[in-house]
Amino acid sequence: MLMRTINRTEEAVICILLVAITLLVFADVVMRFGFNAGFMWSQELTLHMSAWFVLFGTSYGLKAGSHIGMDAFVKLFSFNNRRIMSGIGAILALVYCYLVLYGSWVYLAKMKKIGLTMEDLPIPVWLANGMLFVGFVFLTIRLFILLFAIITGKTDGFKHADEAKESMALAQEIMEEKRS
Amino acid sequence: DPIVIKFSHVVAENTPKGKMATKFKDLVAERLGGKVQVEVYPNSQLFGDNKEIEAMLLGDVQLVAPALSKFERYTKQLQIYDLPFLFKDMAAVEKFQQSDKGQALLSSMESKGLVGLGYLHNGLKQLSCASAIKVPADASGLKFRIMTSDVLAAQFEAVKAVPLKKPFSEVFTLLQTRAIDGQENTYSNIYSKKFFEIQPYITESNHGVLDYMLVSSTEFWMGMPEDIRKEVKKALDEATAYGNQIADSQDLEDRQKIVESKRTEIITLSEAERNQWIEAMKPVWLQFEKEIGKDLIDAAYQANI
Amino acid sequence: MTTVALFTLLFGCMMLGIPIAFALGLSSLATILMFSNDSLASITLKLFEALSEHYTLLAIPFFILSSAFLSTGGVAKRIIRFALSMVGHIHGGIGMASVMACMIFAAVSGSSPATVAAIGSIVIVGMVKAGYPESLAAGLIGNAGTLGILIPPSIVMLVYSAATEVSASRMFMAGFVPGIMMGLMLMLVLYVVARYKKIPCQPWAGLSEIFSSGFSALGGLMLIIIVLGSIYGGIASPTEAAAVSAIYAFGVAIYGYRDMGPLKSIPWRKNGEGVVAMLARNLGQMVVTLPRIIVDKEINKVVLDASKVSIMLLFIIANAMLFAHVLTTERIPHHIAEMIVQWGLSPWMFLVVVNILLLIAGNFMEPSAILLIMAPILFPISMKLGIDPIHLGIIMVVNMEIGMLTPPVGLNLFVISGVTKNSMGWAIKSCMPWLMVLLTFLVIITYIPWISLCLPEFLDKMQGY
Ligand code: NA
Ligand code: NA
């Protein structure tokens, strides 16, 4: 139940961000063409929301198995060897997360210390760019879960097996709704 | 190991700023050969102009030269250079920049860890537009693309025009299809960014200045051994003087090239027309007097005399 | 040493099956950590810049969202039915129509992946429905989609003209003839392939089917007109037009055709209803059901699916920019280009070397980054050798097109893999044979400057410049 709530919240945030970006750009066009006006802040907000969208959504993408990779080589090996290779891969991906987390911490701390705000919005830079850190924390958690699944033999790679099940569940829900 | 100075800028190598950077690199190589090494990264190869200052604060870029409007986030005082019709020509700009008050502005961002090392000219701004503009009333209701700056926004609002912000890659098409009516820029930018090809009119308004400030991080600059720092500063000053000389002649050359292209018409203003513009835009000074400081504005205005 | 480490890490990670984005990011960060004085902080700053300072990249999620609404809602089905009725009886007809669609969308969008994102899923499904193997369809569209940067408007051309002295509008004009020529070449090859592979033709459906399917597809076909019209009518920029198309696609799927969403199976006109009553009822229902859109499961799924693909693509692109940033800070492309410049080649040989250099760079870097580094170095040499700057520009653009399709960093490959939900390896295999057409085209473009220069020179003469 808790996992389900977390999932739904995550999905909702991602969808809301994409819809908000689209509406904001559309509003820009309407304002300029229809009302001969414009917002100075809309470009900066749009661009930052798109960065939040990607950074926040990347860990979800790992869960949903939507990140693409080259699996041709790994496929040549047996299930257990694939697990070893993917395990190393997951650890390397964790190293990547660690490096980004470390770098972004230094960067954000520097911005906070200087007290820099964004160009058009009165928001501190460290807060606006903080999604860099948050997104990679989520990604780290997801990678640990994946690594655990690989170790316990539940999966052998980055494409999560649960994904198929889950989209089935969603399809079923839609079917049920249709019936009612 | 030599001290490496990464000089990052966002324009092409054949612009005044680009040539200044190359000159600086050559001078340093000649005089401080084994001790200091300058690497120039033009065309936003390293970072774009929104992020290059942040990268410098992190210590991975040592020298940048953004447009003065870009410093709004670091100090409100530098907004003075965006005030419309404050300087009548580049000589006045140069005079103010070299004055005590102008030089003091170089250290206005010390609390943010930035140290100004000098001013680099580009030139005076003109208005390019899809329709002919002679008097302020002609600009009323038209849409102009500007850089982020409260002063520049207020300047266009003062003549009832609509200031808009859009990235360069979009601006070109928007100007071409007349979704945006015009923009303000120096002759050399209008030429190098090809705006003259798609904007049928350029009003020679000389209404504002577009200059750059050479900036380093205090941490890096003060961290250099004093004798080396002095030599580097000397090379930088010489390169800047050289760059400014080029900027002045390039302004005229690019204006001439634009005229010869026959793709656009340059509209010059009579004294009376120009006064109308000044009258319409001057209230902007009052609006920003508090943030900038009245004495500073007065001092800048004195440079015209 | 640095170069070796960078590439070893990249390929090593990819062999282990790590998602490409992570492989690019890890190899970049680790290389910086081990060999460079740069801090990790400024590299993560670069990562954030790659995600937050590229407005034109937003066209990708917008077009993906728009095509998700069209293909899930049954709008695409109607368009496919119409296309089948028009050209289904011709050998390779649907494929040719798909290339045509790519050419039209190339005139709308300034980037290649955005072009594929806009119509890829729809036309690939259409071709599969008409009996084409999916890989053939995907390969064709992956290639035709590269036209996005050759047919104006083009972001890559803007970058080229900003980095050199070349006129942007002349570059745009110069792209027209080569763009159409490449489209025709793809159609021609497809015709031969369709004949050879004996891809079935549909029987001629008759005029009445054309009219009825055309009428039913009108709402979907209007999208092209709205997007084209909003750009060339001076309403929106190419990126903004992509957002407009997403909003339109939503409107037409949910309120126009009502294949999904809260108004599903509620007819526009009930039996015996007057016109005024009908309009009033529909308008009222649209307003009243607005809140239900937010919780509608089917609509949510469309947005979520579009989000997943967009996030995947944008995250790869950001990490690819990071990778290019490391190459730049280590000045690797600079050194190679400067070395070539010193060889003192003849124009003919110089162009061969330029093509090879750009093709290799195209494997690892994203087009704008390549142009910003290479154009200023190669431009002055080609001027000295008497190569026309416009011609050089078109050569570079065609090379960038090919780079969209070459692994490991090939944006069109990622989009194809994302929208068809197939693996990267599959996408590479599908696009590879068609790449031969592009390479042939590159040779033609390189050694016949007239193709690139005829239109801009003709227009200049007309206007008396
Ligand atoms: Na295009
Ligand atoms: Na590539």
PDB file of all heavy atoms in Angstrom, chain C residues 366-397:
ATOM      1  N   GLU C 366      27.035  15.429 -30.000  1.00  0.00           N
ATOM      2  CA  GLU C 366      25.758  15.910 -30.478  1.00  0.00           C
ATOM      3  C   GLU C 366      26.063  17.056 -31.468  1.00  0.00           C
ATOM      4  O   GLU C 366      27.071  17.736 -31.321  1.00  0.00           O
ATOM      5  CB  GLU C 366      25.022  16.334 -29.204  1.00  0.00           C
ATOM      6  CG  GLU C 366      23.676  16.886 -29.295  1.00  0.00           C
ATOM      7  CD  GLU C 366      23.739  18.379 -29.343  1.00  0.00           C
ATOM      8  OE1 GLU C 366      24.748  18.974 -28.891  1.00  0.00           O
ATOM      9  OE2 GLU C 366      22.793  18.936 -29.865  1.00  0.00           O
ATOM     10  N   PRO C 367      25.244  17.221 -32.532  1.00  0.00           N
ATOM     11  CA  PRO C 367      25.583  18.125 -33.633  1.00  0.00           C
ATOM     12  C   PRO C 367      26.030  19.538 -33.233  1.00  0.00           C
ATOM     13  O   PRO C 367      27.058  20.001 -33.731  1.00  0.00           O
ATOM     14  CB  PRO C 367      24.292  18.192 -34.441  1.00  0.00           C
ATOM     15  CG  PRO C 367      23.619  16.922 -34.167  1.00  0.00           C
ATOM     16  CD  PRO C 367      23.992  16.500 -32.795  1.00  0.00           C
ATOM     17  N   SER C 368      25.295  20.207 -32.360  1.00  0.00           N
ATOM     18  CA  SER C 368      25.647  21.596 -32.058  1.00  0.00           C
ATOM     19  C   SER C 368      27.056  21.674 -31.475  1.00  0.00           C
ATOM     20  O   SER C 368      27.829  22.569 -31.825  1.00  0.00           O
ATOM     21  CB  SER C 368      24.666  22.204 -31.068  1.00  0.00           C
ATOM     22  OG  SER C 368      23.368  22.032 -31.518  1.00  0.00           O
ATOM     23  N   ALA C 369      27.386  20.726 -30.605  1.00  0.00           N
ATOM     24  CA  ALA C 369      28.711  20.723 -29.990  1.00  0.00           C
ATOM     25  C   ALA C 369      29.792  20.535 -31.054  1.00  0.00           C
ATOM     26  O   ALA C 369      30.818  21.214 -31.041  1.00  0.00           O
ATOM     27  CB  ALA C 369      28.797  19.620 -28.946  1.00  0.00           C
ATOM     28  N   ILE C 370      29.564  19.632 -31.986  1.00  0.00           N
ATOM     29  CA  ILE C 370      30.548  19.396 -33.046  1.00  0.00           C
ATOM     30  C   ILE C 370      30.758  20.671 -33.852  1.00  0.00           C
ATOM     31  O   ILE C 370      31.890  21.091 -34.099  1.00  0.00           O
ATOM     32  CB  ILE C 370      30.083  18.266 -33.991  1.00  0.00           C
ATOM     33  CG1 ILE C 370      29.886  16.978 -33.201  1.00  0.00           C
ATOM     34  CG2 ILE C 370      31.075  18.071 -35.128  1.00  0.00           C
ATOM     35  CD1 ILE C 370      29.367  15.833 -34.035  1.00  0.00           C
ATOM     36  N   LEU C 371      29.643  21.294 -34.257  1.00  0.00           N
ATOM     37  CA  LEU C 371      29.753  22.473 -35.109  1.00  0.00           C
ATOM     38  C   LEU C 371      30.472  23.610 -34.397  1.00  0.00           C
ATOM     39  O   LEU C 371      31.301  24.292 -34.986  1.00  0.00           O
ATOM     40  CB  LEU C 371      28.371  22.924 -35.557  1.00  0.00           C
ATOM     41  CG  LEU C 371      27.831  22.122 -36.740  1.00  0.00           C
ATOM     42  CD1 LEU C 371      26.427  22.552 -37.081  1.00  0.00           C
ATOM     43  CD2 LEU C 371      28.738  22.306 -37.938  1.00  0.00           C
ATOM     44  N   LEU C 372      30.153  23.806 -33.127  1.00  0.00           N
ATOM     45  CA  LEU C 372      30.760  24.915 -32.399  1.00  0.00           C
ATOM     46  C   LEU C 372      32.270  24.749 -32.278  1.00  0.00           C
ATOM     47  O   LEU C 372      33.005  25.724 -32.243  1.00  0.00           O
ATOM     48  CB  LEU C 372      30.135  25.054 -31.013  1.00  0.00           C
ATOM     49  CG  LEU C 372      28.746  25.678 -31.028  1.00  0.00           C
ATOM     50  CD1 LEU C 372      28.106  25.625 -29.655  1.00  0.00           C
ATOM     51  CD2 LEU C 372      28.821  27.115 -31.522  1.00  0.00           C
ATOM     52  N   ILE C 373      32.733  23.495 -32.231  1.00  0.00           N
ATOM     53  CA  ILE C 373      34.170  23.270 -32.126  1.00  0.00           C
ATOM     54  C   ILE C 373      34.823  23.225 -33.502  1.00  0.00           C
ATOM     55  O   ILE C 373      35.847  23.859 -33.744  1.00  0.00           O
ATOM     56  CB  ILE C 373      34.446  21.963 -31.353  1.00  0.00           C
ATOM     57  CG1 ILE C 373      33.948  22.113 -29.914  1.00  0.00           C
ATOM     58  CG2 ILE C 373      35.919  21.622 -31.382  1.00  0.00           C
ATOM     59  CD1 ILE C 373      33.929  20.818 -29.157  1.00  0.00           C
ATOM     60  N   MET C 374      34.212  22.481 -34.426  1.00  0.00           N
ATOM     61  CA  MET C 374      34.849  22.219 -35.723  1.00  0.00           C
ATOM     62  C   MET C 374      34.727  23.378 -36.702  1.00  0.00           C
ATOM     63  O   MET C 374      35.678  23.677 -37.424  1.00  0.00           O
ATOM     64  CB  MET C 374      34.237  20.961 -36.359  1.00  0.00           C
ATOM     65  CG  MET C 374      34.470  19.700 -35.571  1.00  0.00           C
ATOM     66  SD  MET C 374      36.227  19.359 -35.456  1.00  0.00           S
ATOM     67  CE  MET C 374      36.213  17.719 -34.799  1.00  0.00           C
ATOM     68  N   ALA C 375      33.560  24.009 -36.750  1.00  0.00           N
ATOM     69  CA  ALA C 375      33.348  25.033 -37.775  1.00  0.00           C
ATOM     70  C   ALA C 375      34.415  26.134 -37.727  1.00  0.00           C
ATOM     71  O   ALA C 375      35.001  26.447 -38.761  1.00  0.00           O
ATOM     72  CB  ALA C 375      31.931  25.600 -37.670  1.00  0.00           C
ATOM     73  N   PRO C 376      34.717  26.703 -36.549  1.00  0.00           N
ATOM     74  CA  PRO C 376      35.730  27.766 -36.539  1.00  0.00           C
ATOM     75  C   PRO C 376      37.117  27.296 -36.978  1.00  0.00           C
ATOM     76  O   PRO C 376      37.901  28.089 -37.477  1.00  0.00           O
ATOM     77  CB  PRO C 376      35.781  28.197 -35.066  1.00  0.00           C
ATOM     78  CG  PRO C 376      34.509  27.735 -34.470  1.00  0.00           C
ATOM     79  CD  PRO C 376      34.132  26.498 -35.216  1.00  0.00           C
ATOM     80  N   ILE C 377      37.412  25.995 -36.802  1.00  0.00           N
ATOM     81  CA  ILE C 377      38.734  25.494 -37.203  1.00  0.00           C
ATOM     82  C   ILE C 377      38.769  25.189 -38.700  1.00  0.00           C
ATOM     83  O   ILE C 377      39.708  25.549 -39.405  1.00  0.00           O
ATOM     84  CB  ILE C 377      39.104  24.223 -36.398  1.00  0.00           C
ATOM     85  CG1 ILE C 377      39.048  24.530 -34.892  1.00  0.00           C
ATOM     86  CG2 ILE C 377      40.493  23.730 -36.776  1.00  0.00           C
ATOM     87  CD1 ILE C 377      39.242  23.314 -34.020  1.00  0.00           C
ATOM     88  N   LEU C 378      37.712  24.522 -39.196  1.00  0.00           N
ATOM     89  CA  LEU C 378      37.714  24.081 -40.594  1.00  0.00           C
ATOM     90  C   LEU C 378      37.376  25.213 -41.555  1.00  0.00           C
ATOM     91  O   LEU C 378      37.820  25.226 -42.702  1.00  0.00           O
ATOM     92  CB  LEU C 378      36.712  22.929 -40.774  1.00  0.00           C
ATOM     93  CG  LEU C 378      36.975  21.683 -39.932  1.00  0.00           C
ATOM     94  CD1 LEU C 378      35.886  20.655 -40.149  1.00  0.00           C
ATOM     95  CD2 LEU C 378      38.349  21.088 -40.269  1.00  0.00           C
ATOM     96  N   PHE C 379      36.594  26.171 -41.068  1.00  0.00           N
ATOM     97  CA  PHE C 379      36.108  27.238 -41.940  1.00  0.00           C
ATOM     98  C   PHE C 379      37.231  28.020 -42.631  1.00  0.00           C
ATOM     99  O   PHE C 379      37.237  28.132 -43.870  1.00  0.00           O
ATOM    100  CB  PHE C 379      35.188  28.159 -41.128  1.00  0.00           C
ATOM    101  CG  PHE C 379      34.507  29.204 -41.935  1.00  0.00           C
ATOM    102  CD1 PHE C 379      33.375  28.907 -42.680  1.00  0.00           C
ATOM    103  CD2 PHE C 379      34.995  30.504 -41.966  1.00  0.00           C
ATOM    104  CE1 PHE C 379      32.742  29.871 -43.431  1.00  0.00           C
ATOM    105  CE2 PHE C 379      34.358  31.476 -42.711  1.00  0.00           C
ATOM    106  CZ  PHE C 379      33.237  31.159 -43.444  1.00  0.00           C
ATOM    107  N   PRO C 380      38.201  28.551 -41.867  1.00  0.00           N
ATOM    108  CA  PRO C 380      39.231  29.359 -42.533  1.00  0.00           C
ATOM    109  C   PRO C 380      40.044  28.576 -43.566  1.00  0.00           C
ATOM    110  O   PRO C 380      40.391  29.127 -44.614  1.00  0.00           O
ATOM    111  CB  PRO C 380      40.137  29.817 -41.380  1.00  0.00           C
ATOM    112  CG  PRO C 380      39.566  29.296 -40.135  1.00  0.00           C
ATOM    113  CD  PRO C 380      38.351  28.518 -40.414  1.00  0.00           C
ATOM    114  N   ILE C 381      40.307  27.297 -43.298  1.00  0.00           N
ATOM    115  CA  ILE C 381      41.069  26.486 -44.247  1.00  0.00           C
ATOM    116  C   ILE C 381      40.289  26.320 -45.545  1.00  0.00           C
ATOM    117  O   ILE C 381      40.833  26.481 -46.648  1.00  0.00           O
ATOM    118  CB  ILE C 381      41.351  25.072 -43.675  1.00  0.00           C
ATOM    119  CG1 ILE C 381      41.877  25.164 -42.256  1.00  0.00           C
ATOM    120  CG2 ILE C 381      42.309  24.317 -44.575  1.00  0.00           C
ATOM    121  CD1 ILE C 381      43.122  25.969 -42.101  1.00  0.00           C
ATOM    122  N   SER C 382      39.009  26.013 -45.425  1.00  0.00           N
ATOM    123  CA  SER C 382      38.241  25.812 -46.657  1.00  0.00           C
ATOM    124  C   SER C 382      38.105  27.117 -47.434  1.00  0.00           C
ATOM    125  O   SER C 382      38.045  27.095 -48.656  1.00  0.00           O
ATOM    126  CB  SER C 382      36.873  25.192 -46.366  1.00  0.00           C
ATOM    127  OG  SER C 382      36.419  25.567 -45.135  1.00  0.00           O
ATOM    128  N   MET C 383      38.100  28.257 -46.720  1.00  0.00           N
ATOM    129  CA  MET C 383      38.088  29.533 -47.429  1.00  0.00           C
ATOM    130  C   MET C 383      39.347  29.656 -48.286  1.00  0.00           C
ATOM    131  O   MET C 383      39.304  30.038 -49.442  1.00  0.00           O
ATOM    132  CB  MET C 383      38.054  30.715 -46.448  1.00  0.00           C
ATOM    133  CG  MET C 383      36.787  30.880 -45.637  1.00  0.00           C
ATOM    134  SD  MET C 383      35.293  30.965 -46.631  1.00  0.00           S
ATOM    135  CE  MET C 383      34.787  29.255 -46.586  1.00  0.00           C
ATOM    136  N   LYS C 384      40.493  29.310 -47.683  1.00  0.00           N
ATOM    137  CA  LYS C 384      41.758  29.406 -48.405  1.00  0.00           C
ATOM    138  C   LYS C 384      41.771  28.472 -49.605  1.00  0.00           C
ATOM    139  O   LYS C 384      42.366  28.757 -50.632  1.00  0.00           O
ATOM    140  CB  LYS C 384      42.920  29.042 -47.468  1.00  0.00           C
ATOM    141  CG  LYS C 384      43.527  30.278 -46.802  1.00  0.00           C
ATOM    142  CD  LYS C 384      44.707  29.878 -45.923  1.00  0.00           C
ATOM    143  CE  LYS C 384      44.691  30.647 -44.621  1.00  0.00           C
ATOM    144  NZ  LYS C 384      45.275  29.905 -43.511  1.00  0.00           N
ATOM    145  N   LEU C 385      41.130  27.313 -49.458  1.00  0.00           N
ATOM    146  CA  LEU C 385      41.117  26.334 -50.541  1.00  0.00           C
ATOM    147  C   LEU C 385      40.046  26.653 -51.581  1.00  0.00           C
ATOM    148  O   LEU C 385      39.869  25.916 -52.540  1.00  0.00           O
ATOM    149  CB  LEU C 385      40.890  24.926 -49.979  1.00  0.00           C
ATOM    150  CG  LEU C 385      42.003  24.376 -49.088  1.00  0.00           C
ATOM    151  CD1 LEU C 385      41.584  23.049 -48.484  1.00  0.00           C
ATOM    152  CD2 LEU C 385      43.288  24.206 -49.893  1.00  0.00           C
ATOM    153  N   GLY C 386      39.295  27.724 -51.345  1.00  0.00           N
ATOM    154  CA  GLY C 386      38.289  28.132 -52.327  1.00  0.00           C
ATOM    155  C   GLY C 386      37.005  27.325 -52.274  1.00  0.00           C
ATOM    156  O   GLY C 386      36.267  27.253 -53.249  1.00  0.00           O
ATOM    157  N   ILE C 387      36.730  26.705 -51.137  1.00  0.00           N
ATOM    158  CA  ILE C 387      35.466  25.985 -50.990  1.00  0.00           C
ATOM    159  C   ILE C 387      34.412  26.978 -50.529  1.00  0.00           C
ATOM    160  O   ILE C 387      34.635  27.743 -49.590  1.00  0.00           O
ATOM    161  CB  ILE C 387      35.613  24.833 -49.973  1.00  0.00           C
ATOM    162  CG1 ILE C 387      36.638  23.824 -50.488  1.00  0.00           C
ATOM    163  CG2 ILE C 387      34.274  24.167 -49.717  1.00  0.00           C
ATOM    164  CD1 ILE C 387      37.175  22.906 -49.407  1.00  0.00           C
ATOM    165  N   ASP C 388      33.254  26.966 -51.182  1.00  0.00           N
ATOM    166  CA  ASP C 388      32.208  27.920 -50.828  1.00  0.00           C
ATOM    167  C   ASP C 388      31.722  27.658 -49.400  1.00  0.00           C
ATOM    168  O   ASP C 388      31.446  26.515 -49.026  1.00  0.00           O
ATOM    169  CB  ASP C 388      31.035  27.786 -51.798  1.00  0.00           C
ATOM    170  CG  ASP C 388      30.052  28.920 -51.636  1.00  0.00           C
ATOM    171  OD1 ASP C 388      29.254  28.886 -50.652  1.00  0.00           O
ATOM    172  OD2 ASP C 388      30.081  29.844 -52.450  1.00  0.00           O
ATOM    173  N   PRO C 389      31.597  28.713 -48.569  1.00  0.00           N
ATOM    174  CA  PRO C 389      31.180  28.521 -47.171  1.00  0.00           C
ATOM    175  C   PRO C 389      29.795  27.888 -47.030  1.00  0.00           C
ATOM    176  O   PRO C 389      29.572  27.098 -46.110  1.00  0.00           O
ATOM    177  CB  PRO C 389      31.197  29.925 -46.582  1.00  0.00           C
ATOM    178  CG  PRO C 389      31.354  30.866 -47.713  1.00  0.00           C
ATOM    179  CD  PRO C 389      31.961  30.110 -48.834  1.00  0.00           C
ATOM    180  N   ILE C 390      28.894  28.227 -47.949  1.00  0.00           N
ATOM    181  CA  ILE C 390      27.558  27.626 -47.901  1.00  0.00           C
ATOM    182  C   ILE C 390      27.665  26.123 -48.185  1.00  0.00           C
ATOM    183  O   ILE C 390      27.059  25.294 -47.515  1.00  0.00           O
ATOM    184  CB  ILE C 390      26.638  28.281 -48.958  1.00  0.00           C
ATOM    185  CG1 ILE C 390      26.420  29.756 -48.619  1.00  0.00           C
ATOM    186  CG2 ILE C 390      25.334  27.527 -49.088  1.00  0.00           C
ATOM    187  CD1 ILE C 390      25.293  30.028 -47.696  1.00  0.00           C
ATOM    188  N   HIS C 391      28.485  25.798 -49.172  1.00  0.00           N
ATOM    189  CA  HIS C 391      28.686  24.396 -49.538  1.00  0.00           C
ATOM    190  C   HIS C 391      29.276  23.621 -48.356  1.00  0.00           C
ATOM    191  O   HIS C 391      28.796  22.548 -48.000  1.00  0.00           O
ATOM    192  CB  HIS C 391      29.611  24.329 -50.755  1.00  0.00           C
ATOM    193  CG  HIS C 391      29.889  22.939 -51.222  1.00  0.00           C
ATOM    194  ND1 HIS C 391      31.074  22.566 -51.802  1.00  0.00           N
ATOM    195  CD2 HIS C 391      29.139  21.819 -51.166  1.00  0.00           C
ATOM    196  CE1 HIS C 391      31.035  21.283 -52.097  1.00  0.00           C
ATOM    197  NE2 HIS C 391      29.870  20.791 -51.722  1.00  0.00           N
ATOM    198  N   LEU C 392      30.289  24.209 -47.710  1.00  0.00           N
ATOM    199  CA  LEU C 392      30.889  23.561 -46.537  1.00  0.00           C
ATOM    200  C   LEU C 392      29.822  23.352 -45.459  1.00  0.00           C
ATOM    201  O   LEU C 392      29.760  22.297 -44.823  1.00  0.00           O
ATOM    202  CB  LEU C 392      32.039  24.411 -45.984  1.00  0.00           C
ATOM    203  CG  LEU C 392      32.703  23.843 -44.727  1.00  0.00           C
ATOM    204  CD1 LEU C 392      33.564  22.644 -45.063  1.00  0.00           C
ATOM    205  CD2 LEU C 392      33.519  24.895 -43.990  1.00  0.00           C
ATOM    206  N   GLY C 393      28.974  24.361 -45.280  1.00  0.00           N
ATOM    207  CA  GLY C 393      27.910  24.266 -44.278  1.00  0.00           C
ATOM    208  C   GLY C 393      26.988  23.093 -44.533  1.00  0.00           C
ATOM    209  O   GLY C 393      26.669  22.321 -43.626  1.00  0.00           O
ATOM    210  N   ILE C 394      26.572  22.937 -45.789  1.00  0.00           N
ATOM    211  CA  ILE C 394      25.660  21.833 -46.125  1.00  0.00           C
ATOM    212  C   ILE C 394      26.369  20.490 -45.919  1.00  0.00           C
ATOM    213  O   ILE C 394      25.783  19.541 -45.397  1.00  0.00           O
ATOM    214  CB  ILE C 394      25.141  21.974 -47.581  1.00  0.00           C
ATOM    215  CG1 ILE C 394      24.304  23.251 -47.719  1.00  0.00           C
ATOM    216  CG2 ILE C 394      24.307  20.750 -47.978  1.00  0.00           C
ATOM    217  CD1 ILE C 394      23.029  23.262 -46.915  1.00  0.00           C
ATOM    218  N   ILE C 395      27.643  20.425 -46.299  1.00  0.00           N
ATOM    219  CA  ILE C 395      28.406  19.179 -46.070  1.00  0.00           C
ATOM    220  C   ILE C 395      28.391  18.846 -44.574  1.00  0.00           C
ATOM    221  O   ILE C 395      28.146  17.701 -44.177  1.00  0.00           O
ATOM    222  CB  ILE C 395      29.866  19.327 -46.553  1.00  0.00           C
ATOM    223  CG1 ILE C 395      29.906  19.441 -48.076  1.00  0.00           C
ATOM    224  CG2 ILE C 395      30.713  18.145 -46.097  1.00  0.00           C
ATOM    225  CD1 ILE C 395      31.285  19.710 -48.633  1.00  0.00           C
ATOM    226  N   MET C 396      28.625  19.865 -43.759  1.00  0.00           N
ATOM    227  CA  MET C 396      28.647  19.613 -42.314  1.00  0.00           C
ATOM    228  C   MET C 396      27.277  19.154 -41.823  1.00  0.00           C
ATOM    229  O   MET C 396      27.165  18.229 -41.020  1.00  0.00           O
ATOM    230  CB  MET C 396      29.093  20.873 -41.558  1.00  0.00           C
ATOM    231  CG  MET C 396      30.549  21.232 -41.820  1.00  0.00           C
ATOM    232  SD  MET C 396      31.142  22.562 -40.756  1.00  0.00           S
ATOM    233  CE  MET C 396      31.982  21.651 -39.493  1.00  0.00           C
ATOM    234  N   VAL C 397      26.224  19.789 -42.323  1.00  0.00           N
ATOM    235  CA  VAL C 397      24.878  19.410 -41.882  1.00  0.00           C
ATOM    236  C   VAL C 397      24.574  17.959 -42.257  1.00  0.00           C
ATOM    237  O   VAL C 397      24.036  17.192 -41.454  1.00  0.00           O
ATOM    238  CB  VAL C 397      23.815  20.360 -42.479  1.00  0.00           C
ATOM    239  CG1 VAL C 397      22.404  19.845 -42.195  1.00  0.00           C
ATOM    240  CG2 VAL C 397      23.984  21.758 -41.911  1.00  0.00           C
TER     241      VAL C 397
END
